[in-house]
Amino acid sequence: MMQLDTLERRDTAALVSDAQGGDAQAWERLVEEFTPMLRSRIRRFRLGHEDAQDVLQTTWMLAWQNLKRVEDPQRMPGWLATIAFRECLKLTRRTKEICTPDLDTLGSTDDVDRELARIWLAGTLEELVEELPAAQRVLFRALTETSEPHYVDVARRLGRPVGSIGPTRARCFAKLRGLLQDREITRDFLD
């Protein structure tokens, strides 16, 4: 599996490099490869079909215009996701057509943007949790089911020693931080 991941990254890097050199077929392959991921991300904003298509098209246009600035081709998926995310936020600011009822009760546009970012990040976090090893995934879910989990209760429920909860939690969170960084999602991501 690791070999396949390395191969895929190498392919993406080669495609980006070739596209930067003007290879139209490499660009088309990048579009084909990453459009499903972008559609998935854009869908989380609950935009209408036309708006979602506009965001997708704008994302690819901006990516094409700025392709020469991509220094690390392996980060292409995160870079594209960031462009799409920001375009979704721009669109919702412009149109103020928010489909989620809770958002209608929020005051300023900044509040709405923060809530949309929170919703998007929650969806992304769910995806990342699925990438964790099974033991960490189970522990993460057990720890996040209540606002103030107690290690003793979690250990009892999972049938694990209490002393194993903290170290497993630390490994879990370190892995999640790494996955977030791989997607270029940092503290300043939402600014």
Side-chain angles (χ1 to χ4, degrees), residues 133-180:
Q136 291 178 11
R137 191 171 49 242
V138 168
L139 178 62
F140 180 85
R141 290 191 175 121
L143 289 171
T144 56
E145 285 175 354
T146 63
S147 60
E148 293 183 33
H150 295 282
Y151 283 9
V152 172
D153 296 334
V154 171
R156 189 177 307 127
R157 197 172 64 213
L158 298 178
R160 296 185 185 167
V162 175
S164 73
I165 302 299
T168 305
R169 177 188 175 274
R171 286 190 298 277
C172 171
F173 282 27
K175 176 79 172 169
L176 284 173
R177 272 192 296 280
L179 292 169
L180 286 166

mmCIF file of all heavy atoms in Angstrom, residues 133-180:
data_model
loop_
_atom_site.group_PDB
_atom_site.id
_atom_site.type_symbol
_atom_site.label_atom_id
_atom_site.label_comp_id
_atom_site.label_asym_id
_atom_site.label_seq_id
_atom_site.Cartn_x
_atom_site.Cartn_y
_atom_site.Cartn_z
ATOM 1 N N PRO A 133 -5.537 4.309 12.260
ATOM 2 C CA PRO A 133 -5.589 2.874 12.577
ATOM 3 C C PRO A 133 -6.835 2.587 13.432
ATOM 4 O O PRO A 133 -7.304 3.468 14.166
ATOM 5 C CB PRO A 133 -4.308 2.648 13.393
ATOM 6 C CG PRO A 133 -3.402 3.784 13.015
ATOM 7 C CD PRO A 133 -4.300 4.942 12.697
ATOM 8 N N ALA A 134 -7.357 1.391 13.343
ATOM 9 C CA ALA A 134 -8.624 1.040 13.991
ATOM 10 C C ALA A 134 -8.653 1.383 15.481
ATOM 11 O O ALA A 134 -9.627 1.960 15.970
ATOM 12 C CB ALA A 134 -8.919 -0.444 13.794
ATOM 13 N N ALA A 135 -7.593 1.055 16.213
ATOM 14 C CA ALA A 135 -7.588 1.314 17.665
ATOM 15 C C ALA A 135 -7.683 2.811 17.958
ATOM 16 O O ALA A 135 -8.399 3.239 18.866
ATOM 17 C CB ALA A 135 -6.320 0.741 18.303
ATOM 18 N N GLN A 136 -6.991 3.622 17.183
ATOM 19 C CA GLN A 136 -7.039 5.071 17.381
ATOM 20 C C GLN A 136 -8.407 5.632 16.976
ATOM 21 O O GLN A 136 -8.937 6.521 17.628
ATOM 22 C CB GLN A 136 -5.932 5.759 16.580
ATOM 23 C CG GLN A 136 -4.551 5.464 17.105
ATOM 24 C CD GLN A 136 -3.452 6.107 16.272
ATOM 25 O OE1 GLN A 136 -3.714 6.942 15.417
ATOM 26 N NE2 GLN A 136 -2.215 5.704 16.526
ATOM 27 N N ARG A 137 -8.967 5.086 15.895
ATOM 28 C CA ARG A 137 -10.286 5.540 15.427
ATOM 29 C C ARG A 137 -11.345 5.276 16.495
ATOM 30 O O ARG A 137 -12.152 6.152 16.812
ATOM 31 C CB ARG A 137 -10.612 4.812 14.122
ATOM 32 C CG ARG A 137 -11.799 5.343 13.383
ATOM 33 C CD ARG A 137 -11.957 4.737 11.992
ATOM 34 N NE ARG A 137 -11.877 3.294 11.953
ATOM 35 C CZ ARG A 137 -10.957 2.603 11.291
ATOM 36 N NH1 ARG A 137 -10.018 3.206 10.605
ATOM 37 N NH2 ARG A 137 -10.983 1.281 11.297
ATOM 38 N N VAL A 138 -11.337 4.084 17.083
ATOM 39 C CA VAL A 138 -12.309 3.723 18.126
ATOM 40 C C VAL A 138 -12.131 4.635 19.341
ATOM 41 O O VAL A 138 -13.104 5.142 19.897
ATOM 42 C CB VAL A 138 -12.158 2.229 18.516
ATOM 43 C CG1 VAL A 138 -12.933 1.907 19.776
ATOM 44 C CG2 VAL A 138 -12.606 1.345 17.362
ATOM 45 N N LEU A 139 -10.878 4.842 19.741
ATOM 46 C CA LEU A 139 -10.617 5.701 20.899
ATOM 47 C C LEU A 139 -11.045 7.138 20.620
ATOM 48 O O LEU A 139 -11.680 7.774 21.467
ATOM 49 C CB LEU A 139 -9.137 5.666 21.284
ATOM 50 C CG LEU A 139 -8.776 6.566 22.463
ATOM 51 C CD1 LEU A 139 -9.509 6.123 23.729
ATOM 52 C CD2 LEU A 139 -7.272 6.580 22.680
ATOM 53 N N PHE A 140 -10.731 7.661 19.443
ATOM 54 C CA PHE A 140 -11.114 9.034 19.103
ATOM 55 C C PHE A 140 -12.625 9.208 19.231
ATOM 56 O O PHE A 140 -13.104 10.165 19.831
ATOM 57 C CB PHE A 140 -10.664 9.395 17.685
ATOM 58 C CG PHE A 140 -11.040 10.788 17.283
ATOM 59 C CD1 PHE A 140 -10.221 11.857 17.612
ATOM 60 C CD2 PHE A 140 -12.219 11.044 16.591
ATOM 61 C CE1 PHE A 140 -10.570 13.154 17.260
ATOM 62 C CE2 PHE A 140 -12.583 12.327 16.233
ATOM 63 C CZ PHE A 140 -11.747 13.384 16.571
ATOM 64 N N ARG A 141 -13.367 8.281 18.682
ATOM 65 C CA ARG A 141 -14.836 8.376 18.743
ATOM 66 C C ARG A 141 -15.328 8.283 20.184
ATOM 67 O O ARG A 141 -16.242 8.996 20.579
ATOM 68 C CB ARG A 141 -15.458 7.319 17.857
ATOM 69 C CG ARG A 141 -15.228 7.642 16.391
ATOM 70 C CD ARG A 141 -16.042 6.784 15.461
ATOM 71 N NE ARG A 141 -15.859 7.236 14.101
ATOM 72 C CZ ARG A 141 -15.397 6.485 13.122
ATOM 73 N NH1 ARG A 141 -15.098 5.224 13.333
ATOM 74 N NH2 ARG A 141 -15.250 6.983 11.906
ATOM 75 N N ALA A 142 -14.717 7.409 20.968
ATOM 76 C CA ALA A 142 -15.120 7.269 22.374
ATOM 77 C C ALA A 142 -14.835 8.553 23.146
ATOM 78 O O ALA A 142 -15.623 8.968 23.996
ATOM 79 C CB ALA A 142 -14.407 6.090 23.021
ATOM 80 N N LEU A 143 -13.716 9.191 22.838
ATOM 81 C CA LEU A 143 -13.347 10.416 23.551
ATOM 82 C C LEU A 143 -14.181 11.625 23.117
ATOM 83 O O LEU A 143 -14.325 12.579 23.873
ATOM 84 C CB LEU A 143 -11.857 10.726 23.334
ATOM 85 C CG LEU A 143 -10.871 9.796 24.025
ATOM 86 C CD1 LEU A 143 -9.453 10.083 23.551
ATOM 87 C CD2 LEU A 143 -10.971 9.927 25.536
ATOM 88 N N THR A 144 -14.719 11.582 21.927
ATOM 89 C CA THR A 144 -15.470 12.740 21.439
ATOM 90 C C THR A 144 -16.987 12.584 21.555
ATOM 91 O O THR A 144 -17.719 13.478 21.151
ATOM 92 C CB THR A 144 -15.097 13.043 19.971
ATOM 93 O OG1 THR A 144 -15.327 11.879 19.171
ATOM 94 C CG2 THR A 144 -13.645 13.476 19.858
ATOM 95 N N GLU A 145 -17.438 11.482 22.110
ATOM 96 C CA GLU A 145 -18.885 11.285 22.274
ATOM 97 C C GLU A 145 -19.473 12.199 23.341
ATOM 98 O O GLU A 145 -20.640 12.554 23.277
ATOM 99 C CB GLU A 145 -19.193 9.822 22.625
ATOM 100 C CG GLU A 145 -19.057 8.903 21.444
ATOM 101 C CD GLU A 145 -19.236 7.441 21.823
ATOM 102 O OE1 GLU A 145 -19.360 7.129 23.034
ATOM 103 O OE2 GLU A 145 -19.246 6.614 20.912
ATOM 104 N N THR A 146 -18.688 12.541 24.336
ATOM 105 C CA THR A 146 -19.161 13.436 25.391
ATOM 106 C C THR A 146 -18.219 14.627 25.482
ATOM 107 O O THR A 146 -17.066 14.557 25.050
ATOM 108 C CB THR A 146 -19.201 12.728 26.763
ATOM 109 O OG1 THR A 146 -17.880 12.352 27.113
ATOM 110 C CG2 THR A 146 -20.097 11.506 26.740
ATOM 111 N N SER A 147 -18.699 15.715 26.044
ATOM 112 C CA SER A 147 -17.876 16.923 26.112
ATOM 113 C C SER A 147 -16.727 16.788 27.106
ATOM 114 O O SER A 147 -15.691 17.408 26.952
ATOM 115 C CB SER A 147 -18.740 18.134 26.447
ATOM 116 O OG SER A 147 -19.367 17.939 27.690
ATOM 117 N N GLU A 148 -16.891 15.985 28.151
ATOM 118 C CA GLU A 148 -15.830 15.793 29.139
ATOM 119 C C GLU A 148 -15.649 14.305 29.436
ATOM 120 O O GLU A 148 -16.097 13.802 30.464
ATOM 121 C CB GLU A 148 -16.154 16.555 30.421
ATOM 122 C CG GLU A 148 -16.140 18.054 30.242
ATOM 123 C CD GLU A 148 -16.385 18.787 31.559
ATOM 124 O OE1 GLU A 148 -15.974 18.277 32.616
ATOM 125 O OE2 GLU A 148 -16.996 19.846 31.499
ATOM 126 N N PRO A 149 -14.973 13.597 28.527
ATOM 127 C CA PRO A 149 -14.800 12.157 28.746
ATOM 128 C C PRO A 149 -13.815 11.883 29.877
ATOM 129 O O PRO A 149 -12.862 12.624 30.071
ATOM 130 C CB PRO A 149 -14.237 11.674 27.413
ATOM 131 C CG PRO A 149 -13.525 12.867 26.866
ATOM 132 C CD PRO A 149 -14.323 14.065 27.326
ATOM 133 N N HIS A 150 -14.090 10.848 30.624
ATOM 134 C CA HIS A 150 -13.186 10.424 31.695
ATOM 135 C C HIS A 150 -12.472 9.171 31.220
ATOM 136 O O HIS A 150 -13.107 8.217 30.761
ATOM 137 C CB HIS A 150 -13.971 10.153 32.981
ATOM 138 C CG HIS A 150 -14.606 11.389 33.526
ATOM 139 N ND1 HIS A 150 -13.898 12.334 34.221
ATOM 140 C CD2 HIS A 150 -15.887 11.847 33.447
ATOM 141 C CE1 HIS A 150 -14.712 13.323 34.561
ATOM 142 N NE2 HIS A 150 -15.918 13.054 34.099
ATOM 143 N N TYR A 151 -11.143 9.174 31.341
ATOM 144 C CA TYR A 151 -10.344 8.049 30.875
ATOM 145 C C TYR A 151 -10.790 6.734 31.499
ATOM 146 O O TYR A 151 -10.794 5.701 30.838
ATOM 147 C CB TYR A 151 -8.871 8.291 31.171
ATOM 148 C CG TYR A 151 -8.187 9.252 30.218
ATOM 149 C CD1 TYR A 151 -8.890 9.999 29.284
ATOM 150 C CD2 TYR A 151 -6.809 9.398 30.256
ATOM 151 C CE1 TYR A 151 -8.252 10.867 28.431
ATOM 152 C CE2 TYR A 151 -6.152 10.269 29.403
ATOM 153 C CZ TYR A 151 -6.879 11.002 28.489
ATOM 154 O OH TYR A 151 -6.243 11.856 27.630
ATOM 155 N N VAL A 152 -11.191 6.768 32.766
ATOM 156 C CA VAL A 152 -11.599 5.535 33.449
ATOM 157 C C VAL A 152 -12.832 4.955 32.754
ATOM 158 O O VAL A 152 -12.890 3.753 32.463
ATOM 159 C CB VAL A 152 -11.889 5.797 34.947
ATOM 160 C CG1 VAL A 152 -12.486 4.570 35.612
ATOM 161 C CG2 VAL A 152 -10.628 6.254 35.657
ATOM 162 N N ASP A 153 -13.819 5.814 32.453
ATOM 163 C CA ASP A 153 -15.035 5.356 31.778
ATOM 164 C C ASP A 153 -14.728 4.832 30.375
ATOM 165 O O ASP A 153 -15.244 3.796 29.953
ATOM 166 C CB ASP A 153 -16.065 6.481 31.690
ATOM 167 C CG ASP A 153 -16.554 6.922 33.059
ATOM 168 O OD1 ASP A 153 -16.511 6.107 34.005
ATOM 169 O OD2 ASP A 153 -16.965 8.103 33.181
ATOM 170 N N VAL A 154 -13.892 5.584 29.647
ATOM 171 C CA VAL A 154 -13.542 5.182 28.280
ATOM 172 C C VAL A 154 -12.787 3.857 28.308
ATOM 173 O O VAL A 154 -13.076 2.949 27.519
ATOM 174 C CB VAL A 154 -12.709 6.287 27.580
ATOM 175 C CG1 VAL A 154 -12.147 5.798 26.252
ATOM 176 C CG2 VAL A 154 -13.548 7.544 27.375
ATOM 177 N N ALA A 155 -11.831 3.721 29.212
ATOM 178 C CA ALA A 155 -11.046 2.483 29.314
ATOM 179 C C ALA A 155 -11.952 1.299 29.631
ATOM 180 O O ALA A 155 -11.824 0.229 29.018
ATOM 181 C CB ALA A 155 -9.966 2.637 30.380
ATOM 182 N N ARG A 156 -12.871 1.496 30.565
ATOM 183 C CA ARG A 156 -13.799 0.420 30.947
ATOM 184 C C ARG A 156 -14.658 0.033 29.737
ATOM 185 O O ARG A 156 -14.828 -1.142 29.435
ATOM 186 C CB ARG A 156 -14.669 0.871 32.113
ATOM 187 C CG ARG A 156 -15.508 -0.263 32.698
ATOM 188 C CD ARG A 156 -16.330 0.159 33.916
ATOM 189 N NE ARG A 156 -15.473 0.784 34.925
ATOM 190 C CZ ARG A 156 -15.707 2.003 35.464
ATOM 191 N NH1 ARG A 156 -16.765 2.694 35.106
ATOM 192 N NH2 ARG A 156 -14.897 2.509 36.361
ATOM 193 N N ARG A 157 -15.204 1.013 29.075
ATOM 194 C CA ARG A 157 -16.087 0.744 27.940
ATOM 195 C C ARG A 157 -15.357 0.044 26.795
ATOM 196 O O ARG A 157 -15.917 -0.814 26.112
ATOM 197 C CB ARG A 157 -16.701 2.058 27.442
ATOM 198 C CG ARG A 157 -17.917 1.816 26.573
ATOM 199 C CD ARG A 157 -18.647 3.076 26.229
ATOM 200 N NE ARG A 157 -17.782 3.925 25.434
ATOM 201 C CZ ARG A 157 -17.791 5.242 25.470
ATOM 202 N NH1 ARG A 157 -18.621 5.883 26.228
ATOM 203 N NH2 ARG A 157 -16.968 5.941 24.728
ATOM 204 N N LEU A 158 -14.082 0.396 26.574
ATOM 205 C CA LEU A 158 -13.317 -0.202 25.483
ATOM 206 C C LEU A 158 -12.558 -1.452 25.901
ATOM 207 O O LEU A 158 -11.941 -2.109 25.065
ATOM 208 C CB LEU A 158 -12.334 0.831 24.905
ATOM 209 C CG LEU A 158 -12.955 2.079 24.282
ATOM 210 C CD1 LEU A 158 -11.851 3.018 23.796
ATOM 211 C CD2 LEU A 158 -13.906 1.725 23.152
ATOM 212 N N GLY A 159 -12.568 -1.743 27.207
ATOM 213 C CA GLY A 159 -11.863 -2.913 27.697
ATOM 214 C C GLY A 159 -10.356 -2.763 27.607
ATOM 215 O O GLY A 159 -9.649 -3.722 27.298
ATOM 216 N N ARG A 160 -9.871 -1.569 27.856
ATOM 217 C CA ARG A 160 -8.440 -1.284 27.793
ATOM 218 C C ARG A 160 -7.952 -0.799 29.146
ATOM 219 O O ARG A 160 -8.719 -0.247 29.929
ATOM 220 C CB ARG A 160 -8.159 -0.191 26.768
ATOM 221 C CG ARG A 160 -8.516 -0.584 25.362
ATOM 222 C CD ARG A 160 -8.109 0.487 24.405
ATOM 223 N NE ARG A 160 -8.555 0.165 23.061
ATOM 224 C CZ ARG A 160 -8.556 1.021 22.069
ATOM 225 N NH1 ARG A 160 -8.131 2.241 22.249
ATOM 226 N NH2 ARG A 160 -8.975 0.656 20.886
ATOM 227 N N PRO A 161 -6.657 -0.934 29.408
ATOM 228 C CA PRO A 161 -6.109 -0.382 30.654
ATOM 229 C C PRO A 161 -6.194 1.146 30.634
ATOM 230 O O PRO A 161 -5.986 1.761 29.585
ATOM 231 C CB PRO A 161 -4.637 -0.831 30.638
ATOM 232 C CG PRO A 161 -4.522 -1.859 29.571
ATOM 233 C CD PRO A 161 -5.667 -1.677 28.638
ATOM 234 N N VAL A 162 -6.482 1.730 31.776
ATOM 235 C CA VAL A 162 -6.599 3.187 31.870
ATOM 236 C C VAL A 162 -5.307 3.865 31.404
ATOM 237 O O VAL A 162 -5.340 4.881 30.712
ATOM 238 C CB VAL A 162 -6.947 3.632 33.314
ATOM 239 C CG1 VAL A 162 -6.947 5.137 33.440
ATOM 240 C CG2 VAL A 162 -8.285 3.065 33.736
ATOM 241 N N GLY A 163 -4.163 3.287 31.767
ATOM 242 C CA GLY A 163 -2.872 3.871 31.401
ATOM 243 C C GLY A 163 -2.592 3.900 29.911
ATOM 244 O O GLY A 163 -1.700 4.611 29.459
ATOM 245 N N SER A 164 -3.354 3.156 29.116
ATOM 246 C CA SER A 164 -3.116 3.137 27.670
ATOM 247 C C SER A 164 -3.891 4.247 26.947
ATOM 248 O O SER A 164 -3.577 4.567 25.795
ATOM 249 C CB SER A 164 -3.514 1.782 27.081
ATOM 250 O OG SER A 164 -4.930 1.649 27.043
ATOM 251 N N ILE A 165 -4.870 4.826 27.609
ATOM 252 C CA ILE A 165 -5.729 5.816 26.945
ATOM 253 C C ILE A 165 -4.951 7.079 26.561
ATOM 254 O O ILE A 165 -5.011 7.531 25.416
ATOM 255 C CB ILE A 165 -6.958 6.169 27.826
ATOM 256 C CG1 ILE A 165 -7.777 4.906 28.131
ATOM 257 C CG2 ILE A 165 -7.810 7.240 27.166
ATOM 258 C CD1 ILE A 165 -8.353 4.202 26.930
ATOM 259 N N GLY A 166 -4.225 7.642 27.499
ATOM 260 C CA GLY A 166 -3.469 8.876 27.224
ATOM 261 C C GLY A 166 -2.451 8.723 26.102
ATOM 262 O O GLY A 166 -2.442 9.523 25.154
ATOM 263 N N PRO A 167 -1.586 7.703 26.142
ATOM 264 C CA PRO A 167 -0.608 7.531 25.059
ATOM 265 C C PRO A 167 -1.265 7.262 23.695
ATOM 266 O O PRO A 167 -0.813 7.775 22.677
ATOM 267 C CB PRO A 167 0.222 6.327 25.513
ATOM 268 C CG PRO A 167 0.095 6.325 27.001
ATOM 269 C CD PRO A 167 -1.299 6.820 27.280
ATOM 270 N N THR A 168 -2.331 6.467 23.687
ATOM 271 C CA THR A 168 -3.022 6.197 22.423
ATOM 272 C C THR A 168 -3.660 7.478 21.900
ATOM 273 O O THR A 168 -3.621 7.759 20.700
ATOM 274 C CB THR A 168 -4.089 5.091 22.595
ATOM 275 O OG1 THR A 168 -3.470 3.939 23.145
ATOM 276 C CG2 THR A 168 -4.739 4.735 21.263
ATOM 277 N N ARG A 169 -4.232 8.266 22.805
ATOM 278 C CA ARG A 169 -4.814 9.558 22.428
ATOM 279 C C ARG A 169 -3.744 10.462 21.830
ATOM 280 O O ARG A 169 -3.964 11.112 20.791
ATOM 281 C CB ARG A 169 -5.432 10.235 23.648
ATOM 282 C CG ARG A 169 -5.989 11.603 23.384
ATOM 283 C CD ARG A 169 -6.397 12.284 24.710
ATOM 284 N NE ARG A 169 -6.828 13.631 24.499
ATOM 285 C CZ ARG A 169 -5.999 14.688 24.444
ATOM 286 N NH1 ARG A 169 -4.699 14.522 24.583
ATOM 287 N NH2 ARG A 169 -6.470 15.895 24.236
ATOM 288 N N ALA A 170 -2.567 10.513 22.435
ATOM 289 C CA ALA A 170 -1.476 11.360 21.938
ATOM 290 C C ALA A 170 -1.059 10.926 20.532
ATOM 291 O O ALA A 170 -0.863 11.768 19.648
ATOM 292 C CB ALA A 170 -0.295 11.311 22.897
ATOM 293 N N ARG A 171 -0.933 9.613 20.309
ATOM 294 C CA ARG A 171 -0.576 9.119 18.971
ATOM 295 C C ARG A 171 -1.668 9.452 17.963
ATOM 296 O O ARG A 171 -1.386 9.841 16.828
ATOM 297 C CB ARG A 171 -0.327 7.611 19.004
ATOM 298 C CG ARG A 171 0.986 7.225 19.662
ATOM 299 C CD ARG A 171 1.302 5.746 19.459
ATOM 300 N NE ARG A 171 0.331 4.853 20.057
ATOM 301 C CZ ARG A 171 0.330 4.483 21.341
ATOM 302 N NH1 ARG A 171 1.253 4.938 22.161
ATOM 303 N NH2 ARG A 171 -0.588 3.647 21.792
ATOM 304 N N CYS A 172 -2.910 9.314 18.380
ATOM 305 C CA CYS A 172 -4.056 9.615 17.520
ATOM 306 C C CYS A 172 -4.029 11.079 17.093
ATOM 307 O O CYS A 172 -4.146 11.396 15.913
ATOM 308 C CB CYS A 172 -5.344 9.285 18.281
ATOM 309 S SG CYS A 172 -6.854 9.808 17.483
ATOM 310 N N PHE A 173 -3.855 11.970 18.053
ATOM 311 C CA PHE A 173 -3.861 13.398 17.737
ATOM 312 C C PHE A 173 -2.648 13.793 16.900
ATOM 313 O O PHE A 173 -2.750 14.643 16.021
ATOM 314 C CB PHE A 173 -3.953 14.224 19.015
ATOM 315 C CG PHE A 173 -5.343 14.275 19.586
ATOM 316 C CD1 PHE A 173 -6.261 13.267 19.369
ATOM 317 C CD2 PHE A 173 -5.750 15.354 20.354
ATOM 318 C CE1 PHE A 173 -7.539 13.308 19.899
ATOM 319 C CE2 PHE A 173 -7.037 15.407 20.886
ATOM 320 C CZ PHE A 173 -7.933 14.378 20.660
ATOM 321 N N ALA A 174 -1.508 13.167 17.154
ATOM 322 C CA ALA A 174 -0.314 13.447 16.346
ATOM 323 C C ALA A 174 -0.558 13.020 14.899
ATOM 324 O O ALA A 174 -0.207 13.737 13.960
ATOM 325 C CB ALA A 174 0.904 12.728 16.925
ATOM 326 N N LYS A 175 -1.181 11.859 14.726
ATOM 327 C CA LYS A 175 -1.497 11.372 13.377
ATOM 328 C C LYS A 175 -2.480 12.324 12.685
ATOM 329 O O LYS A 175 -2.298 12.678 11.515
ATOM 330 C CB LYS A 175 -2.085 9.959 13.473
ATOM 331 C CG LYS A 175 -2.554 9.372 12.167
ATOM 332 C CD LYS A 175 -1.424 8.849 11.354
ATOM 333 C CE LYS A 175 -1.975 8.099 10.146
ATOM 334 N NZ LYS A 175 -0.958 7.793 9.199
ATOM 335 N N LEU A 176 -3.505 12.779 13.406
ATOM 336 C CA LEU A 176 -4.475 13.722 12.826
ATOM 337 C C LEU A 176 -3.798 15.035 12.440
ATOM 338 O O LEU A 176 -4.080 15.587 11.377
ATOM 339 C CB LEU A 176 -5.629 13.984 13.798
ATOM 340 C CG LEU A 176 -6.667 12.878 13.909
ATOM 341 C CD1 LEU A 176 -7.655 13.185 15.021
ATOM 342 C CD2 LEU A 176 -7.402 12.682 12.586
ATOM 343 N N ARG A 177 -2.910 15.534 13.309
ATOM 344 C CA ARG A 177 -2.176 16.769 12.968
ATOM 345 C C ARG A 177 -1.382 16.577 11.683
ATOM 346 O O ARG A 177 -1.364 17.445 10.811
ATOM 347 C CB ARG A 177 -1.246 17.172 14.107
ATOM 348 C CG ARG A 177 -1.899 18.056 15.149
ATOM 349 C CD ARG A 177 -0.880 18.675 16.099
ATOM 350 N NE ARG A 177 -0.174 17.689 16.898
ATOM 351 C CZ ARG A 177 -0.659 17.112 17.986
ATOM 352 N NH1 ARG A 177 -1.840 17.447 18.437
ATOM 353 N NH2 ARG A 177 0.051 16.225 18.648
ATOM 354 N N GLY A 178 -0.740 15.437 11.555
ATOM 355 C CA GLY A 178 0.028 15.149 10.338
ATOM 356 C C GLY A 178 -0.855 15.094 9.107
ATOM 357 O O GLY A 178 -0.505 15.628 8.057
ATOM 358 N N LEU A 179 -2.019 14.462 9.245
ATOM 359 C CA LEU A 179 -2.955 14.382 8.112
ATOM 360 C C LEU A 179 -3.468 15.770 7.728
ATOM 361 O O LEU A 179 -3.633 16.079 6.543
ATOM 362 C CB LEU A 179 -4.119 13.446 8.457
ATOM 363 C CG LEU A 179 -3.758 11.964 8.590
ATOM 364 C CD1 LEU A 179 -4.927 11.181 9.184
ATOM 365 C CD2 LEU A 179 -3.355 11.389 7.243
ATOM 366 N N LEU A 180 -3.733 16.610 8.730
ATOM 367 C CA LEU A 180 -4.162 17.986 8.453
ATOM 368 C C LEU A 180 -3.054 18.753 7.740
ATOM 369 O O LEU A 180 -3.317 19.483 6.779
ATOM 370 C CB LEU A 180 -4.565 18.700 9.750
ATOM 371 C CG LEU A 180 -5.895 18.269 10.352
ATOM 372 C CD1 LEU A 180 -6.025 18.788 11.785
ATOM 373 C CD2 LEU A 180 -7.061 18.753 9.503
#
